[in-house]
Amino acid sequence: MRILAIGECMAEMAPTDAPSTYQMGFAGDTFNTAWYLAQLTPETPLSYFTAVGDDAISSRMLGAMRESGVNTQQVRIVPNRSVGLYLITLNNGERSFTYWRGQSAARLLTQDKQALAHAMTQSDLIYF
């Protein structure tokens, strides 16, 4: 079975134990699911269809995806764009999120309908 996850992965800034210090990671609903599937069933081909920019943080994101076992051949690289960013803040144990997505390449995800159709026809199961 070949699995395709479609969605947006974002840069995540999460607080650490040190005051005013954040750690960057990469997350998002569809990517988190793809990551877990890659860990649980590494023998199952799993691809992620998204769009990233042509900047350093986008490159780091692609590297993290590959390291986790998620195939990035279906990821589109959009010039002069980046990835979305969100910041987690904690208040009495409650998490809040602030998002920056104006220049996110994933906002243009469906512009290449031919690439999306091709990725979908190469998959047995699609998670959107």
Side-chain angles (χ1 to χ4, degrees), residues 21-78:
T21 303
Y22 291 82
Q23 179 176 343
M24 186 175 70
F26 301 105
D29 295 341
T30 56
F31 178 70
N32 293 354
T33 300
W35 186 92
Y36 281 108
L37 282 170
Q39 306 315 300
L40 293 171
T41 60
E43 70 284 351
T44 302
L46 185 136
S47 296
Y48 195 65
F49 186 88
T50 193
V52 299
D54 58 356
D55 60 341
I57 195 165
S58 295
S59 294
R60 285 185 63 186
M61 178 182 285
L62 287 172
M65 288 179 177
R66 289 183 197 110
E67 286 177 19
S68 72
V70 173
N71 183 314
T72 60
Q73 289 180 336
Q74 304 294 340
V75 175
R76 294 182 46 235
I77 298 175
V78 180

Side-chain angles (χ1 to χ4, degrees), residues 5-11 26-33 48-52 61 65 81-86 99-109 127-128:
I6 302 172
E8 180 179 21
C9 184
M10 299 178 71
F26 301 105
D29 295 341
T30 56
F31 178 70
N32 293 354
T33 300
Y48 195 65
F49 186 88
T50 193
V52 299
M61 178 182 285
M65 288 179 177
R81 289 284 181 149
S82 188
V83 297
L85 169 72
Y86 68 94
Y99 295 90
W100 293 271
R101 297 168 110 167
Q103 289 299 318
S104 172
R107 291 180 63 144
L108 308 174
L109 185 60
Y127 177 74
F128 181 73

Side-chain angles (χ1 to χ4, degrees), residues 3-4 6 8 11 18 20 41 63 69 74 88-89 98-99 124:
I3 300 172
L4 175 68
I6 302 172
E8 180 179 21
S20 300
T41 60
Q74 304 294 340
I88 300 172
T89 53
T98 305
Y99 295 90
D124 301 307

